[in-house]
Amino acid sequence: MQQENSVEKKLKERIRDVFDDLELVIGYCQSKIPLKVNPLFIQRKEEIDDLIFDNLCINNLATYSYFLSNELKGKIGIVLKPCDTRSITQLISEELLNKDRVKSIVVGCAGILDYKKIVKEIGGLKIISADIKDEHIRIDTIDENFTLEAKNFYADKCYTCNIYDNPPYYDEFIENDSKLNIEPRKEYEDLDEFEKLSLEEINSFWDLQFSNCIRCYACRNICPLEVCRDKCIAQLDVPHWQSQKINSAEGKFFQLIRAFHLAGRCTECGECERVCPANIQLLKLMKKINKDVLKLFNYRPGFNLDEKPPLLTFKNVEKNIKEEELI
Amino acid sequence: MKTLTYIKKENLNTFLEKLNKNYDVFLPVQNKADGTINFESLDIVNDNNVINLKEKTRKSPKSLFFPPSENLFEFEYKKDIKKPDIMEIKLLESEKMISDETNSRKKVIFGIKPCDTMAVKCLDLVFGEGEKKDPYYIMKRKNTILISIGCSNVFPDCFCTSVGGNPFYFDYSDLGLIDMGQNLVIFKLSERDDLRKLLDECNEFFEEREINSDEEIEIKKIISESEKKCSSNWESVNAEDIALDMERKFSEEEMWKNITRKCISCAACTYVCPTCVCFNIGDEQTGMKGERYKCWDFCTNYYYTLEASGHNPREKIYQRYRNKINCKYNYFYKRNKNLYCVGCGRCIDVCPVGMDIREIVKHVRSLQK
Amino acid sequence: MEVIKNHLLPKIATIKKIIRETPNIISLQVALDDIEAMRNFIFEPGQVAQISVFGFGESTFVINSTPSNKDYLQFSVMKSGVNTTAIHNLSEGEKVGIRAPLGNWFPYKDMEGKNILFIGGGIGLAPLRPLIFHILENKEKYMKLTLLYAAKSPDDFCFKYDIDEWEKSKDIQLIQTIDNACYGWDKEVGLCPNVLEKMYPSSQNTIAVICGPPIMIKYTLEVLKKLDFEDDNIYTTLERRMKCGIGKCGRCNIGEKFVCVDGPVFSLRELSNISETFI
């Protein structure tokens, strides 16, 4: 059991204060698996003690907001990182979520560790035990021990984050004494290399990536914005859009459907990439599309409650699309 | 006098190379780029893809018998000029397709873990038993020799000892090996003719000598230590009891709702599971030709039981997850006197939201009723 | 080498005749193209078949012709999904694939010497039809036969040709009911459970066989209970989404039972031993 940090204490206190108005609070709790945390659904006040908040809390709990707000009658409290609030904002702006049904309890963030990056660094070995102390991650596998510097293993989004202590949207905000302390990178910097590739190279890159897709739909179901879970055209019988076969062609087809569904809506939380059992670089595709949307429509998903996503509406004349030049 | 038959680990690669000449050898291969380990053909092993017999594979070996999608047969519509309004149909005999499979070379799965061989037993019970068998599975299965290595390494999510197995369970392996540091020692040998043939062909790699008492003790120690470690991961489960308990608590809707709340009903757990073999059947047609295929499907999926009328007997996630857990710990046991979970722990490893099947079962059992 | 029969491979059959039963239900009479196989085709009342339109898929239907008929097999199809729509678009002479017979059947031997109460709702009469025929063919072995047939409106009754015959027959008593009164209707009016309650059939030495939409089954069972029918003496036949039909693909389970191999015919006793609800 790790020692309770100050932000955890403040978080619990705040949740105790507001708990009576809420039917359920979603937060994080310890997991038995090293370097992972679990979502926690709090229905009774004494369960608040199980709450944690540290740099392993990578899950975007906004995922549960849409389905739970449909299932339950009361108000739901959700513990969010500042970046996760973008998903909530986006859902509200698309009228998929009623603002009054959700209480966003936002905690200032000091960066979160990316499990997959760590596992990759240690060569895919299974982690038997691990602990984090003073910005160092110590890991035991069956034969080897590793000590890694935490600052190299934060999630990609942390390196470009500028909202970690000033969330764009919140109902409750709990400040974190520890601050994000990493060398910032330029937004979409990681796409530079990729964009230099030729069309053939890009095609073969994605073909290889999507050939691993087993169509488990984890990416779709974990996504806070893909509320289509049980109505997805990739699984629909009537009309019959897509074969149910599991192979590279169908995998690619499904992933492209996903990408288009999220074009200009994706809040880049990275959950899809985190959960993919086949390690497909899903976020790269989303980022590329989002970058294009930003260029064309000057729109960044998840920051504005009142603005409609550009691809859900249209203007007679789009400033940055020169249709006449396209013909 | 007891003897010890073994293969030197330093000779393992040449042994596998030789095996690969007459057989299609599949074994755990690690992709260096992202570290994932899966069962792959020996042919793809190179500098970027290396053999890794120590760790657990991400996906289970079931796809070698039960591919993600596979054609059942092909069909072709034909038009007769004399009867223009009638379409004749011709099926490409699946028997032919199946016998093609039989004629193909024998497969060897090397380094399959004991828990995965228990899973193969489960698959045999599903596809190979009963009045109506599945020839597509049987043809692949019959052709496959399982060579397993006992688990000297036990991981935190392993729990085979809790569900009736153990890290050195070789009842379902054709050849069972124990890793003794320098050597892989044969611990169990099945009577299969094709295995005898295989061993004869690779005779030069196997050495035999008398066993000394130290070695005997060491083998026992390796086995008991692994077993101890594994059983500390979870309590032992009595299959009969747990099936009964599941049955009794089936109608506790509130409990099921609460413990499955975080499930996002994806197929990650199902598709890495070595025993989950539910499948879907569908048709695809282009022009006058088409095929009927079967492909993986998962029971936590909304469409799984959705009827054409729009009625869905398992509409909610908790109903579907309850069915899944009951399938593993109750239904299958009732039908076959065998649990449908082998304790490989893969589902725990891949779950995006940290569902732990052990915790779920524990929770169900702890409910007083 | 042992040859394993491939139960997933359909046999080709030709549609001999199409009968329109109601605006969205048709009956197909199909014969296997292999004449020898058709002549030797044996099935029991209640067993099902998988019918495929190649390119669209397969669906499950009860074989509703009488088992003694060796010329063709009859199926009734309601238009609801992809495959059933494809079937509706077929014409006489066209080909379908058939995998049959699958599943279990009504234990008609156990019903000998007893009164039998058939209760059917809409297209739910289809599974009962082969049983009724079989029992009528062996009338001497059975006691009193009653059929309560319910439908939404007069247009929704299937098998009107059978009804006409049964109405005239002395061997079976026929009671028809529709949900709401309508012009020109002189028979019963009311929902199936209510009419059944009014009929007040004796449960003495009587077996009830019931099939229809889930909601009808649910409430009719309640009435049967009220009338003191024992679980052992109530039979029903169930529907689930099916794919393989041979107990492998997993989806049609109700608890530990697979509808495709342990069913589709169940006694209420069997069903009440399963924790999962069947409606």
Side-chain angles (χ1 to χ4, degrees):
Chain A
M1 195 74 185
Q2 278 178 349
Q3 228 185 338
E4 190 181 66
N5 54 42
S6 66
V7 70
E8 232 167 68
K9 207 172 150 205
K10 280 195 274 180
L11 173 65
K12 285 180 194 173
E13 272 166 22
R14 189 73 63 90
I15 290 180
R16 274 194 200 97
D17 289 346
V18 297
F19 192 74
D20 293 337
D21 297 337
L22 304 171
E23 182 170 355
L24 184 117
V25 173
I26 315 170
Y28 303 94
C29 67
Q30 296 277 5
S31 163
K32 276 193 173 169
I33 302 174
L35 301 182
K36 283 190 181 179
V37 294
N38 283 344
L40 172 72
F41 293 79
I42 304 171
Q43 278 167 308
R44 286 169 302 152
K45 217 163 185 170
E46 58 268 28
E47 290 165 342
I48 296 176
D49 292 331
D50 297 337
L51 265 175
I52 58 160
F53 191 88
D54 57 23
N55 53 5
L56 294 175
C57 297
I58 191 164
N59 307 39
N60 180 358
L61 300 177
T63 296
Y64 294 105
S65 59
Y66 173 81
F67 288 95
L68 267 184
S69 70
N70 281 334
E71 187 194 320
L72 302 177
K73 290 189 185 72
K75 194 166 180 170
I76 305 157
I78 308 182
V79 177
L80 299 163
K81 302 183 292 293
C83 52
D84 301 336
T85 61
R86 289 182 63 188
S87 311
I88 294 282
T89 309
Q90 189 65 17
L91 284 168
I92 296 171
S93 77
E94 292 181 21
E95 291 171 35
L96 290 168
L97 190 67
N98 183 343
K99 206 171 156 180
D100 304 327
R101 297 290 313 283
V102 174
K103 194 176 202 74
S104 302
I105 305 160
V106 184
V107 187
C109 176
I112 39 164
L113 293 168
D114 186 330
Y115 186 80
K116 275 196 172 170
K117 268 191 190 169
I118 296 170
V119 171
K120 193 176 166 186
E121 176 68 21
I122 62 172
L125 301 178
K126 188 109 193 169
I127 301 170
I128 304 279
S129 66
D131 75 316
I132 305 165
K133 225 178 239 163
D134 309 329
E135 293 292 299
H136 284 93
I137 315 164
R138 214 185 41 73
I139 295 169
D140 299 329
T141 67
I142 39 174
D143 288 336
E144 292 174 70
N145 304 317
F146 299 85
T147 307
L148 308 175
E149 263 190 271
K151 67 171 188 201
N152 299 325
F153 296 94
Y154 285 106
D156 279 343
K157 60 180 174 182
C158 296
Y159 295 93
T160 56
C161 180
N162 50 22
I163 52 171
Y164 55 89
D165 60 354
N166 57 333
Y169 175 81
Y170 60 87
D171 295 312
E172 303 283 337
F173 179 57
I174 294 128
E175 240 179 286
N176 197 336
D177 296 336
S178 36
K179 297 277 179 242
L180 183 69
N181 183 22
I182 42 181
E183 210 161 292
R185 293 176 195 159
K186 220 177 81 227
E187 195 184 17
Y188 300 132
E189 183 185 79
D190 43 342
L191 289 176
D192 292 350
E193 282 292 298
F194 182 73
E195 283 172 339
K196 281 183 203 138
L197 299 177
S198 70
L199 194 59
E200 285 78 36
E201 285 167 319
I202 291 177
N203 250 331
S204 62
F205 172 82
W206 287 121
D207 279 347
L208 185 67
Q209 288 286 317
F210 293 146
S211 67
N212 292 324
C213 179
I214 52 171
R215 290 181 79 178
C216 69
Y217 303 115
C219 49
R220 182 194 70 195
N221 291 9
I222 198 77
C223 178
L225 295 167
E226 280 181 275
V227 295
C228 46
R229 216 186 256 182
D230 295 342
K231 301 172 189 70
C232 179
I233 63 163
Q235 283 179 287
L236 215 58
D237 246 3
V238 200
H240 182 78
W241 290 106
Q242 192 181 358
S243 159
Q244 295 307 305
K245 279 189 182 179
I246 299 168
N247 56 31
S248 42
E250 301 298 338
K252 187 176 180 181
F253 189 36
F254 165 66
Q255 290 298 350
L256 292 178
I257 296 172
R258 254 199 89 232
F260 280 109
H261 187 188
L262 287 171
R265 301 175 62 223
C266 172
T267 52
E268 297 173 33
C269 65
E271 285 289 88
C272 46
E273 194 163 311
R274 175 179 74 85
V275 303
C276 180
N279 289 346
I280 303 174
Q281 296 179 24
L282 293 165
L283 192 56
K284 189 173 237 163
L285 182 60
M286 302 325 305
K287 276 186 177 172
K288 171 67 187 141
I289 295 176
N290 264 12
K291 188 181 169 185
D292 293 346
V293 168
L294 180 66
K295 209 169 109 191
L296 285 174
F297 305 104
N298 193 26
Y299 178 82
R300 224 184 268 274
F303 282 99
N304 195 330
L305 282 177
D306 310 315
E307 210 176 343
K308 280 271 164 292
L311 296 174
L312 292 191
T313 175
F314 74 98
K315 292 178 186 151
N316 276 338
V317 181
E318 286 287 356
K319 216 169 73 193
N320 295 324
I321 302 177
K322 308 270 183 289
E323 276 176 65
E324 59 278 16
E325 284 171 23
L326 290 173
I327 300 166
Chain B
M1 182 58 65
K2 276 191 188 167
T3 58
L4 196 71
T5 314
Y6 60 94
I7 176 169
K8 285 205 176 106
K9 265 200 197 161
E10 59 194 51
N11 296 333
L12 189 63
N13 283 349
T14 35
F15 165 69
L16 291 171
E17 288 298 332
K18 169 138 195 210
L19 213 56
N20 206 28
K21 287 204 177 90
N22 296 326
Y23 302 85
D24 288 332
V25 179
F26 291 86
L27 72 182
V29 173
Q30 180 167 31
N31 176 345
K32 272 193 165 171
D34 63 1
T36 48
I37 306 169
N38 280 312
F39 281 94
E40 306 277 3
S41 160
L42 186 65
D43 298 335
I44 75 147
V45 171
N46 55 28
D47 290 345
N48 299 322
N49 296 296
V50 294
I51 300 171
N52 187 332
L53 298 172
K54 273 189 184 164
E55 301 270 332
K56 215 175 339 188
T57 56
R58 168 70 64 90
K59 290 183 227 162
S60 72
K62 73 175 170 191
S63 53
L64 297 172
F65 311 110
F66 174 61
S69 39
E70 142 180 63
N71 279 0
L72 297 176
F73 57 83
E74 281 153 26
F75 56 82
E76 189 180 356
Y77 279 103
K78 281 221 163 85
K79 230 174 195 175
D80 186 354
I81 303 169
K82 285 173 211 150
K83 290 184 281 178
D85 50 337
I86 298 299
M87 293 272 236
E88 288 293 328
I89 183 123
K90 221 182 91 195
L91 300 189
L92 176 71
E93 294 283 332
S94 63
E95 266 96 317
K96 190 181 157 292
M97 294 163 70
I98 290 171
S99 66
D100 284 349
E101 188 86 45
T102 334
N103 295 333
S104 71
R105 304 201 305 168
K106 275 199 189 308
K107 258 186 251 169
V108 170
I109 307 185
F110 186 85
I112 181 170
K113 304 253 184 232
C115 55
D116 285 340
T117 64
M118 276 166 72
V120 174
K121 179 183 170 189
C122 292
L123 303 201
D124 285 352
L125 285 170
V126 175
F127 290 121
E129 298 287 318
E131 196 189 328
K132 289 168 180 163
K133 300 180 173 61
D134 182 331
Y136 301 89
Y137 171 82
I138 291 173
M139 290 303 166
K140 292 187 193 68
R141 171 74 179 96
K142 260 212 308 223
N143 248 345
T144 309
I145 296 173
L146 306 175
I147 302 183
S148 53
I149 303 177
C151 300
S152 331
N153 302 314
V154 173
F155 301 98
D157 46 20
C158 291
F159 59 98
C160 61
T161 44
S162 304
V163 288
N166 71 60
F168 291 86
Y169 173 94
F170 289 134
D171 290 9
Y172 236 67
S173 318
D174 296 313
L175 186 66
L177 303 170
I178 293 189
D179 187 342
M180 301 264 299
Q182 305 292 316
N183 306 320
L184 290 172
V185 176
I186 295 187
F187 191 69
K188 188 252 169 181
L189 202 62
S190 81
E191 294 297 319
R192 263 176 87 148
D193 290 340
D194 43 5
L195 180 75
R196 294 276 163 199
K197 189 166 156 274
L198 181 150
L199 293 178
D200 286 343
E201 283 165 6
C202 300
N203 203 5
E204 72 265 29
F205 293 98
F206 292 94
E207 296 171 39
E208 198 170 343
R209 63 170 166 78
E210 268 176 37
I211 191 166
N212 62 42
S213 57
D214 282 356
E215 284 168 332
E216 250 179 305
I217 293 170
E218 206 197 323
I219 291 181
K220 277 196 188 124
K221 200 179 136 208
I222 291 175
I223 294 179
S224 72
E225 264 180 16
S226 286
E227 236 170 87
K228 210 174 114 195
K229 220 164 152 194
C230 192
S231 45
S232 74
N233 284 344
W234 196 27
E235 67 197 275
S236 182
V237 184
N238 179 305
E240 181 95 48
D241 287 353
I242 198 168
L244 243 141
D245 231 18
M246 286 288 161
E247 173 85 58
R248 259 208 312 270
K249 290 164 190 167
F250 188 90
S251 312
E252 300 293 321
E253 317 265 323
E254 274 310 306
M255 175 202 68
W256 284 107
K257 258 182 219 168
N258 285 335
I259 58 178
T260 59
R261 198 145 253 163
K262 59 183 174 183
C263 177
I264 54 167
S265 75
C266 72
C269 52
T270 307
Y271 286 180
V272 298
C273 176
T275 61
C276 276
V277 285
C278 285
F279 60 87
N280 198 345
I281 296 178
D283 282 19
E284 283 305 325
Q285 190 183 342
T286 345
M288 302 288 269
K289 282 184 181 175
E291 70 233 356
R292 178 161 299 162
Y293 60 89
K294 70 172 186 187
C295 64
W296 290 1
D297 201 354
F298 57 112
C299 60
T300 45
N301 148 23
Y302 177 80
Y303 288 92
Y304 186 69
T305 47
L306 180 69
E307 289 160 20
S309 62
H311 172 67
N312 193 345
R314 289 194 281 269
E315 195 191 348
K316 296 271 188 311
I317 291 183
Y318 84 91
Q319 294 167 322
R320 306 199 287 266
Y321 198 88
R322 175 174 67 184
N323 181 64
K324 183 190 170 89
I325 294 287
N326 271 282
C327 173
K328 298 224 168 279
Y329 290 97
N330 178 8
Y331 302 156
F332 196 78
Y333 179 77
K334 274 193 191 144
R335 282 198 301 267
N336 299 305
K337 290 282 158 248
N338 197 47
L339 287 180
Y340 204 45
C341 173
V342 296
C344 72
R346 286 190 179 90
C347 53
I348 303 169
D349 182 39
V350 298
C351 182
V353 292
M355 297 279 279
D356 187 331
I357 196 162
R358 296 169 296 187
E359 299 287 308
I360 302 279
V361 173
K362 216 160 104 185
H363 196 109
V364 175
R365 302 207 68 189
S366 69
L367 184 84
Q368 296 298 323
K369 204 202 160 185
Chain C
M1 203 185 79
E2 184 199 2
V3 179
I4 303 152
K5 196 168 172 242
N6 188 354
H7 293 277
L8 294 172
L9 182 73
K11 289 195 176 74
I12 305 283
T14 307
I15 301 176
K16 296 288 173 199
K17 196 175 167 194
I18 295 175
I19 305 160
R20 184 152 288 281
E21 302 282 358
T22 76
N24 70 344
I25 298 172
I26 57 168
S27 288
L28 307 174
Q29 293 178 353
V30 301
L32 298 176
D33 282 6
D34 181 348
I35 295 167
E36 193 66 22
M38 186 66 231
R39 199 179 305 135
N40 296 325
F41 189 89
I42 299 168
F43 75 95
E44 300 281 0
Q47 284 194 297
V48 297
Q50 287 278 14
I51 302 198
S52 29
V53 184
F54 297 99
F56 290 91
E58 269 185 321
S59 315
T60 320
F61 303 98
V62 178
I63 311 174
N64 70 39
S65 46
T66 158
S68 59
N69 182 339
K70 297 289 177 193
D71 298 329
Y72 61 82
L73 304 170
Q74 181 170 314
F75 306 95
S76 297
V77 181
M78 193 199 294
K79 198 170 176 173
S80 54
V82 182
N83 193 43
T84 48
T85 308
I87 292 175
H88 270 248
N89 292 340
L90 293 173
S91 39
E92 286 171 10
E94 287 199 272
K95 305 287 182 190
V96 290
I98 290 192
R99 294 197 285 127
L102 303 167
N104 72 351
W105 54 88
F106 290 105
Y108 51 84
K109 281 255 182 328
D110 300 344
M111 298 179 187
E112 285 176 10
K114 293 187 176 162
N115 305 314
I116 302 172
L117 169 64
F118 303 98
I119 306 169
I123 196 175
L125 185 62
L128 307 182
R129 189 172 179 257
L131 180 67
I132 297 175
F133 275 127
H134 181 86
I135 287 178
L136 283 175
E137 282 165 23
N138 300 281
K139 177 68 189 63
E140 66 286 356
K141 292 183 188 156
Y142 299 88
M143 308 294 281
K144 187 171 173 252
L145 307 181
T146 315
L147 167 63
L148 168 60
Y149 187 19
K152 274 206 183 88
S153 73
D155 287 341
D156 291 312
F157 286 105
C158 302
F159 313 109
K160 296 194 180 71
Y161 36 96
D162 295 332
I163 293 173
D164 291 345
E165 227 168 84
W166 292 336
E167 248 184 336
K168 284 179 235 148
S169 165
K170 283 191 203 83
D171 293 337
I172 186 165
Q173 186 200 349
L174 175 70
I175 297 141
Q176 279 176 276
T177 175
I178 56 171
D179 288 2
N180 297 307
C182 89
Y183 180 75
W185 181 257
D186 55 358
K187 293 164 191 160
E188 295 289 330
V189 173
L191 295 172
C192 177
N194 303 342
V195 176
L196 180 68
E197 204 167 356
K198 213 168 71 187
M199 275 165 65
Y200 209 79
S202 159
S203 60
Q204 201 62 40
N205 195 31
T206 304
I207 300 234
V209 188
I210 165 169
C211 183
I215 191 84
M216 176 202 118
I217 293 191
K218 190 178 168 200
Y219 290 108
T220 309
L221 285 179
E222 280 174 17
V223 174
L224 285 174
K225 289 263 192 189
K226 229 190 266 178
L227 296 169
D228 270 347
F229 276 83
E230 297 220 354
D231 285 0
D232 291 309
N233 293 332
I234 302 174
Y235 287 91
T236 184
T237 157
L238 296 180
E239 260 189 344
R240 274 292 182 277
R241 187 169 189 210
M242 283 185 204
K243 287 285 176 180
C244 73
I246 54 173
K248 314 287 181 210
C249 80
R251 74 196 58 236
C252 68
N253 75 309
I254 299 174
E256 69 273 17
K257 302 272 185 203
F258 283 126
V259 172
C260 68
V261 286
D262 303 315
V265 176
F266 291 96
S267 73
L268 195 60
R269 166 80 61 221
E270 286 172 277
L271 290 174
S272 53
N273 286 338
I274 304 174
S275 339
E276 192 172 6
T277 142
F278 61 91
I279 293 173

